[in-house]
Amino acid sequence: MAEAVVSFVLQNVRDFTTQEAKFLSGVSHQVEGAQTELLVMKGFLKNLDARRGEDPTVQLWVAQIRDAAYDLEDVIETYGLKVVSKKKRGVKNVLKRFACIFKEGVDLHRIGKEIENITAKISKLRSSLQKYNIKEIIRDRDSSDGESSSQLHQRLRQSYSHAVECDVVGLESNVEELVMHLVKDENRHRVVSIWGMGGLGKTTLARKVYHDKKVRQHFHSFAWFCVSQRYQVRNVWEGILIELISATKEQRQEVKDMRDDEIATKLFRVLQEMKCLVILDDIWRIETWNLLKAAFPNVETESTILLTTRNQAVATLPNRNAFLHKLQPLNENESWNLLEKKAISERADIDLGMFTKKRELGMKMLRHCKGLPLAIIVLAGVLARKNTIREWERVYENVHEYISRGSGHEEEYEGVSQVLALSYDELPYYLKPCFLYLGHYLEDSEFLVSKLTKLWVAEGLISLRKQRHGLGETIEDIARDCLSELVERCLVQVGTSGSSGTIKSCRIHDLVRDMCLLKAKEESFLQINNSLQENTSSLVAEAAQLGKIRRLAIYLDEKTDRLVSSRDETNGNVRSLLYFLPGGWMPKSEKGLLSPLKDFKVLRVLKVEGLYNVEVELPSEIGNMVHLRFLSVKDSKIKNFPLTLGNLVCLQTLDYRVHFVIRHMLIPNVIMKMKQLRHLYLPLDYRAKSNLELSTLGHLQTLYSLAIEYCDLKDVGRLTNLRKLRIILSSSLQNLEEILKSTGSTLNRIRTLFVDNKFHYRGAKQAVQIVSSCRGIYKLALVGPIAELPKELPNNPNLTKLELCSCGLKEDQMGILEKLPNLTILKLIETAFLGNTKILVFSKGGFPSLEFLDVFIMGGITEWRVEEGAMPRLCRLEIEYCWGLRTLPDGLRYLTNLRELTVRGMRRELHRRIEED
């Protein structure tokens, strides 16, 4: 992780000094010296990180290097932003100007000295590494004598083909499916991949398949090799070849005497001419496969390569003619069967009452395992030596600790955290901080990808990775790629997907989260202050935390009476402050509730969301937090928009969607100063003394809610990076056609459009004109009267999601909706159609791509017809609070792909009829 920190500090300092070079000219020499020293130090860090678990001294050095890098970035940026602010303000009075020049000179000397001191500290640390022969240790790391702790752990987990587990549960269907793919002659795959997170049983499944009777009869020759970093490519080829030909002593020597290219050629021919099954167990990297594949046939052959991996990129890369098998967790019954076999079955003396009680406790403990076989086996290893109910109860009271740590007696029952940590160790350096950042989310919670990527960008974590500068690619796109990599490596699970197929929400397995928190604490990456007393492994509590706290996540409960407690004494170094408030949270007093936040001097991320039980003011001192990149007060009852927010020139995301009860908030014309803004969310109801100038926000991608009454629509034309737009129509627009023509190129780039017509039927025509001008939209939401949809809407091939709320559409507009060729999500809310519309008809051939339909509070609809051939792909349907409907559409029987039907808030007789049928 130290390598990651130094890398992104170097990148951020380089970017900042390039942008503000003229304001840092007085200390440029010191800044360059510090950058050079960090660059030299970076060469030590990759291998130093690998050895940090073996020696407390190394741990301390890593922490000191990390802190020095962060301190350097804070000092340079604080000084630079201070100078920029002063230059922009200017001083007219001559005496004051001389006083300012003198003070600048003093500040310059002080900052220069601070940078020199940090540089000297880094240099001294580098000397210490050399003095204690760290260099020699690093050189030896690739040899057999210099094995790191993670490499040793991998070696201990070495798999062998002959070691077949007796107690295997839940793999029967998996074995059957894989055997079928291996033995069928037609359309057989040359490469079969088993993919899944650590601990799911990939190796166990591979062994079962390897020893299956049908497989042994089908193939003529077999080889099993556990691929490890410590093996050279030649070793792998050698081992496979020797197994496949059942080499004699003479043949073994002959193989050893071959050159690398000769071994590869020989193995290639054997696989091509014979019917072989080769198992490559535990491949972690794409690079490993790319090195190995030269010896594997890429032409028609009767041989098959079966590999296991935690990395989807490896599983899908090898060959177009490949089969991917994703291994799933065990269900509740399978989990209990495995636990029973390992912990209870062999005991003949157990009585029914004791068995029943143990089953009850066991089922509770299994909830923490989430179907992960490794976790269940670890738990069973502990319980197998516990005879009494009281002993089982004690395990239940500390179940997190036992699962994470293991029993400590046998290698077979090593802790889950150690095994899952291998996935973390194998992450490229740019992904490690992205993964550790996920630790601040609550257990079992889903998090929105759109917000997570904004937080990553604000923290500077995405600058670690080289941007590919693809057409229209943004740093948020790179962030999404990073998340996809974590998903592929089975460290993150997909929650829901959007209409365009992108990942919308995610979660992490509880046991992966435990490992994440453990690593985050070891790296001093994140501290969680938790008054909710969440059940977290004691391993996390015991982990040594070296260095300053830079990120703070605070979970409050109903008993907490303030936001910042006395234990948050590390305010001066904290860069990220994330609050999680329970629904009923109420402070003792709202007076000065947010004032303590001003003590967090170098804060980059501040999230205070859901503070809705009390109305408070955001203090003007917020303007002193000049480092802020992300500020969100979403759903909080914040009454004001301080003028000083204009000082936040580094701000990238401003989410001011305050609680809906806050109305007519006065917004001063200071947003134009925030030239780095990428995402701007304004309150739903606000006012301004003069038009808010937004044309300076050249980086802006998201703009919610643009009130036409207080903003100039012409400004939108200058926002060439804008992709998401929410417009509020509350007054008439003059010369709208001309304005739309002048902003056409920008409007055509918009992908998500939300038009909120508060001007009622007087604004209907203008709403249609605006929609018609955005020809590239993928998602469209219309709120308020519109009567008729744009006639050219069916010609939009990109539109995948449409939401209509209180639009009062004429009945014939359903004909336009049905023709949308790629619409996958449709939501009809309240009076989406005119109040006199009683019958809803979905005709034959309509909505050819629709997958999800939500009909919500359409109280005027009394009859709904679905003709045969309508909505052929519909798989999810929600009907809610449509009180006029007495029966469900008879045509639902034609929807053969329908998998999920939700009926809520309907007439009692309809609910009763559904229950009966």
Side-chain angles (χ1 to χ4, degrees), residues 4 45 101 192 204 248 273 317 336 338 346 433 447 517 532 569 615 632 670 681 728 732 784-785 835 897 903 905:
L45 292 178
I101 292 170
V192 174
T204 301
T248 62
E273 294 167 5
L317 180 80
W336 168 249
L338 180 57
E346 294 178 4
F447 45 89
L517 289 174
L532 295 176
E569 65 280 344
E615 290 189 14
S632 177
V670 296
Y681 302 88
I728 298 176
S732 181
N897 287 309
V903 180

Side-chain angles (χ1 to χ4, degrees), residues 363-496:
M363 293 300 283
K364 288 179 181 178
M365 287 187 266
L366 284 171
R367 290 173 194 160
H368 298 275
C369 297
K370 297 294 177 68
L372 193 69
L374 174 66
I376 297 167
I377 290 169
V378 168
L379 179 61
V382 175
L383 294 172
R385 285 179 292 276
K386 310 294 182 186
N387 298 315
T388 67
I389 297 297
R390 181 60 194 135
E391 286 177 312
W392 275 53
E393 286 173 340
R394 286 197 193 101
V395 175
Y396 172 58
E397 288 162 7
N398 299 283
V399 64
H400 256 85
E401 178 183 349
Y402 280 112
I403 293 171
S404 296
R405 192 195 298 272
S407 64
H409 294 291
E410 301 175 42
E411 283 179 13
E412 181 186 359
Y413 301 131
E414 63 188 342
V416 176
S417 288
Q418 289 177 297
V419 176
L420 295 178
L422 293 174
S423 293
Y424 173 78
D425 294 335
E426 276 298 312
L427 288 177
Y429 74 89
Y430 61 81
L431 281 182
K432 286 184 176 180
C434 293
F435 172 69
L436 295 185
Y437 205 82
L438 304 180
H440 76 261
Y441 289 109
L442 277 167
E443 187 175 324
D444 292 324
S445 65
E446 281 198 8
F447 45 89
L448 290 174
V449 173
S450 58
K451 180 167 286 185
L452 173 65
T453 53
K454 293 178 182 71
L455 288 167
W456 277 352
V457 171
E459 290 273 6
L461 304 184
I462 305 304
S463 62
L464 304 178
R465 194 177 180 205
K466 268 191 174 180
Q467 206 163 342
R468 294 189 297 269
H469 298 292
L471 186 64
E473 191 175 55
T474 65
I475 197 165
E476 286 82 3
D477 295 329
I478 303 296
R480 283 183 172 273
D481 286 347
C482 289
L483 181 69
S484 295
E485 281 195 63
L486 290 174
V487 171
E488 289 171 0
R489 291 170 181 271
C490 297
L491 287 169
V492 174
Q493 300 171 337
V494 176
T496 56

Side-chain angles (χ1 to χ4, degrees), residues 665-726:
M665 180 186 286
L666 181 64
I667 307 286
N669 189 22
V670 296
I671 296 173
M672 61 180 177
K673 299 178 182 179
M674 306 173 190
K675 295 181 181 179
Q676 299 301 316
L677 266 182
R678 307 173 72 84
H679 309 279
L680 173 60
Y681 302 88
L682 292 169
L684 286 175
D685 190 343
Y686 64 90
R687 58 192 176 88
K689 291 181 179 178
S690 59
N691 270 2
L692 300 179
E693 296 176 45
L694 304 174
S695 60
T696 58
L697 311 180
H699 298 288
L700 203 65
Q701 298 174 30
T702 306
L703 176 53
Y704 276 36
S705 308
L706 182 76
I708 296 301
E709 189 176 352
Y710 302 112
C711 302
D712 192 343
L713 192 57
K714 289 180 182 177
D715 283 353
V716 173
R718 301 182 181 95
L719 307 179
T720 55
N721 288 301
L722 197 63
R723 296 295 177 269
K724 296 181 180 179
L725 175 64
R726 176 170 184 161

Side-chain angles (χ1 to χ4, degrees), residues 111 168 185 193 279 395 426 445 534 617 659 695 702 803:
I111 296 301
V168 177
D185 291 322
S193 301
I279 309 288
V395 175
E426 276 298 312
S445 65
E534 184 189 16
E617 288 196 353
H659 196 275
S695 60
T702 306
E803 185 175 315

Side-chain angles (χ1 to χ4, degrees), residues 91-142:
V91 181
K92 295 181 180 180
N93 184 285
V94 176
L95 290 175
K96 284 185 178 179
R97 194 183 304 157
F98 276 117
C100 285
I101 292 170
F102 177 75
K103 190 174 185 306
E104 281 176 19
V106 174
D107 286 345
L108 197 65
H109 176 75
R110 180 175 57 81
I111 296 301
K113 202 68 182 169
E114 279 189 51
I115 296 172
E116 286 174 359
N117 289 340
I118 294 171
T119 307
K121 184 178 178 181
I122 298 169
S123 180
K124 187 178 178 182
L125 283 166
R126 183 164 57 86
S127 299
S128 297
L129 299 182
Q130 294 167 331
K131 181 180 177 182
Y132 286 91
N133 293 322
I134 293 296
K135 209 169 186 180
E136 281 71 16
I137 293 173
I138 290 170
R139 277 201 200 103
D140 290 340
R141 181 172 176 256
D142 293 327

Side-chain angles (χ1 to χ4, degrees), residues 282-297:
D282 213 19
I283 295 187
W284 290 74
R285 298 176 180 176
I286 295 171
E287 295 81 7
T288 303
W289 172 263
N290 287 337
L291 290 169
L292 291 173
K293 68 180 182 181
F296 303 143

Side-chain angles (χ1 to χ4, degrees), residues 835-889:
N836 58 5
T837 302
K838 301 296 181 184
I839 302 175
L840 206 57
V841 180
F842 284 63
S843 57
K844 181 179 180 179
F847 299 106
S849 301
L850 198 65
E851 295 176 3
F852 172 47
L853 173 63
D854 184 12
V855 184
F856 184 71
I857 316 184
M858 297 273 286
I861 302 297
T862 57
E863 185 181 352
W864 183 8
R865 299 175 196 160
V866 176
E867 296 180 359
E868 186 175 1
M871 305 182 287
R873 294 187 181 179
L874 195 73
C875 52
R876 187 172 157 214
L877 172 61
E878 293 185 6
I879 309 169
E880 304 169 277
Y881 304 101
C882 298
W883 305 290
L885 280 177
R886 296 178 180 273
T887 60
L888 291 180

Side-chain angles (χ1 to χ4, degrees), residues 157 165 168-171 174 194-206 282 308-310 325-331 334-335 338 369-377 416 419-420 423 487 489-491 493 509 511-512:
R157 296 187 70 247
E165 291 87 344
V168 177
V169 172
L171 291 182
N174 293 274
I194 302 173
W195 167 55
M197 70 180 288
L200 267 179
K202 299 181 296 296
T203 300
T204 301
L205 175 58
D282 213 19
T308 72
T309 182
R310 301 186 191 190
H325 182 85
K326 184 180 179 183
L327 197 53
Q328 301 291 347
L330 301 180
N331 61 33
E334 290 168 342
S335 297
L338 180 57
C369 297
K370 297 294 177 68
L372 193 69
L374 174 66
I376 297 167
I377 290 169
V416 176
V419 176
L420 295 178
S423 293
V487 171
R489 291 170 181 271
C490 297
L491 287 169
Q493 300 171 337
H509 194 287
L511 296 172
V512 174

